[in-house]
Amino acid sequence: MDAIAELRGKYLEQVAKAVDINGLEGVRLAALGKKGEISAKMRELGQMSAEDRLIAGPALNGLKSEIDAALKARRAALEDAELDARLQGEWLDVTLPGRPRPQGTIHPISQVMEELTAIFADMGFSVAEGPQIESDWYNFDALNIAPEHPSRQEMDTFYMHRAADDHRPPHVLRTHTSPVQIRAMQTQGAPIRVIAPGRVYRMDMDQTHTPMFHQVEGLAIDRDITMAQLKWTLEEFCRAFFEVEEVELRFRASHFPFTEPSAEVDIRCSWEGGQLKIGEGNDWLEILGSGMVHPHVLRSGGIDPEKWQGFAFGMGIDRIAMLKYGIPDLRAFFESDLRWLRHYGFAALDQPGLAAGLSR
Ligand code: PHE
């Protein structure tokens, strides 16, 4: 019986002192494993006399379950402690702000298209679209551009190739966004207020011209629209777009086949110290063509010029983007130079809202 009390004391102490699961497993093997001390004692029962076994058997079994229970309790306690320690060491602050990983930028042309769309939307203009490959009827005839007009010459216009026996009407890469006027009038009728931003193409390539560039067309038709409203709309747009209180526009009499009267519009600016500033200075920069929609054009769009009239304009998007963001070279827009894109591009979340674009 002394031996049993001794074993009990020894193993209960070892169990209590075990500091980790591995140590505890060592204690278990030493006591209850196949070659363990208590297991050996159990085997000795076989050789005992019946009376001795009657006493030693229950005592050993009791010892075995007591040690077993102590082992289990200690294991649970050690596991809890281990988990606590891990929770202490491995906690993560999910409220920390993330590390930004910028992936590309918004091209200034895309940014400016978003900006001007927001401004014109606020004035009640919706966005219309048309194809970039356009029939020569939409690009020219419907806009009152006679076949002998110089802008039809192959010099300016990209014509689609036609096989000798292909008799479809000629198609061109649209040379301006004005054909969208016709398409919008045909599908929406009057009254109408639309803008049409998009790509246009002309055979031209030098410092200030690229064969592909961008325009935004504007069209407003109603019963009694006048040039005064054209002027107000453009001034209001420029104030909002360039974010300056005072913009000065100069309307110069001009000629377009699809408007009568017609005006080209310049904006006052200064180039002092190589820095371009809008709204001050003694320089003028041409940014758009405009006028009152020609009756022939209204008729092409299926609108009765006896009842309706309106204005139209076509503005160079690349031009106004260069002006607003101080971008000196037009061709750089289309060279896809990563250094340029990173410098002049916009963050994806830098979305134009009217709060940013409209100062009044
Ligand atoms: N389509 C003309 C151009 O490309 C611009 C314009 C549009 C002029 C609408 C008057 C009215 O130059």
Side-chain angles (χ1 to χ4, degrees):
M1 287 312 290
D2 280 358
I4 285 183
E6 202 178 295
L7 283 174
R8 182 172 176 276
K10 172 176 161 187
Y11 284 112
L12 285 181
E13 187 185 338
Q14 286 189 12
V15 166
K17 282 189 178 162
V19 291
D20 55 28
I21 303 283
N22 271 343
L24 192 67
E25 178 63 6
V27 178
R28 191 186 68 79
L29 288 173
L32 302 177
K34 255 190 194 155
K35 296 177 181 160
E37 230 178 330
I38 296 175
S39 309
K41 281 264 183 283
M42 305 279 282
R43 278 194 295 276
E44 284 170 18
L45 287 175
Q47 277 105 55
M48 288 183 183
S49 66
E51 303 94 84
D52 285 350
R53 192 168 14 187
L54 214 57
I55 298 166
L60 266 175
N61 270 324
L63 174 64
K64 188 183 167 200
S65 5
E66 193 179 349
I67 300 294
D68 203 41
L71 281 165
K72 287 203 173 101
R74 183 69 185 146
R75 170 177 275 268
L78 285 174
E79 278 170 356
D80 279 356
E82 209 167 88
L83 185 61
D84 278 349
R86 272 186 58 193
L87 288 175
Q88 279 294 317
E90 294 178 9
W91 73 287
L92 197 68
D93 185 353
V94 294
T95 66
L96 277 180
R99 295 187 190 99
R101 287 200 290 154
Q103 302 270 315
T105 57
I106 305 292
H107 195 282
I109 299 290
S110 307
Q111 175 79 13
V112 162
M113 283 202 196
E114 295 284 333
E115 289 174 9
L116 62 85
T117 302
I119 295 167
F120 279 114
D122 195 48
M123 294 197 247
F125 288 77
S126 58
V127 173
E129 285 185 314
Q132 294 178 38
I133 298 174
E134 189 55 284
S135 74
D136 70 343
W137 186 81
Y138 278 103
N139 197 79
F140 298 124
D141 302 69
L143 290 161
N144 197 34
I145 302 175
E148 65 278 7
H149 193 275
S151 73
R152 285 229 194 182
Q153 302 298 289
E154 295 255 356
M155 281 183 55
D156 288 322
T157 309
F158 289 105
Y159 277 86
M160 302 305 286
H161 175 75
R162 283 278 189 267
D165 56 352
D166 185 340
H167 299 300
R168 285 176 297 171
H171 276 70
V172 301
L173 292 182
R174 68 181 181 194
T175 58
H176 50 182
T177 43
S178 299
V180 188
Q181 286 187 34
I182 307 295
R183 290 182 175 275
M185 285 190 262
Q186 285 178 336
T187 52
Q188 300 180 32
I192 186 172
R193 260 192 262 179
V194 289
I195 56 162
R199 294 183 164 182
V200 300
Y201 303 84
R202 286 178 205 175
M203 255 183 253
D204 216 346
M205 182 66 170
D206 60 33
Q207 284 239 326
T208 52
H209 296 91
T210 49
M212 186 279 294
F213 57 105
H214 299 84
Q215 287 188 335
V216 56
E217 196 78 8
L219 176 69
I221 310 276
D222 212 321
R223 301 262 177 206
D224 49 12
I225 285 189
T226 70
M227 261 191 121
Q229 282 139 0
L230 168 68
K231 189 159 183 271
W232 180 88
T233 303
L234 293 174
E235 281 173 354
E236 204 56 21
F237 167 77
C238 287
R239 233 194 303 278
F241 179 77
F242 292 110
E243 295 172 45
V244 288
E245 264 316 299
E246 286 314 311
V247 285
E248 202 181 326
L249 296 183
R250 181 170 76 177
F251 284 68
R252 272 184 294 107
S254 183
H255 175 264
F256 299 102
F258 32 92
T259 46
E260 182 59 37
S262 303
E264 283 177 301
V265 178
D266 307 332
I267 188 166
R268 187 188 280 282
C269 62
S270 96
W271 280 102
E272 227 164 273
Q275 260 291 103
L276 184 61
K277 282 213 185 96
I278 300 294
E280 54 187 76
N282 294 314
D283 283 317
W284 295 93
L285 231 136
E286 184 192 324
I287 55 170
L288 64 92
S290 65
M292 298 304 289
V293 181
H294 197 290
H296 288 353
V297 174
L298 290 172
R299 244 177 248 119
S300 306
I303 289 177
D304 182 356
E306 299 300 325
K307 295 187 182 138
W308 306 94
Q309 60 185 36
F311 66 72
F313 60 85
M315 187 157 41
I317 292 182
D318 317 81
R319 267 290 166 84
I320 61 170
M322 292 169 76
L323 282 173
K324 179 166 180 180
Y325 294 111
I327 298 169
D329 186 352
L330 172 76
R331 288 170 299 187
F333 274 128
F334 312 119
E335 280 170 356
S336 302
D337 181 329
L338 271 182
R339 290 162 304 174
W340 188 92
L341 290 169
R342 287 194 187 112
H343 180 77
Y344 286 108
F346 291 82
L349 292 177
D350 196 2
Q351 283 306 309
L354 283 177
L358 272 182
S359 52
R360 2 185 297 140

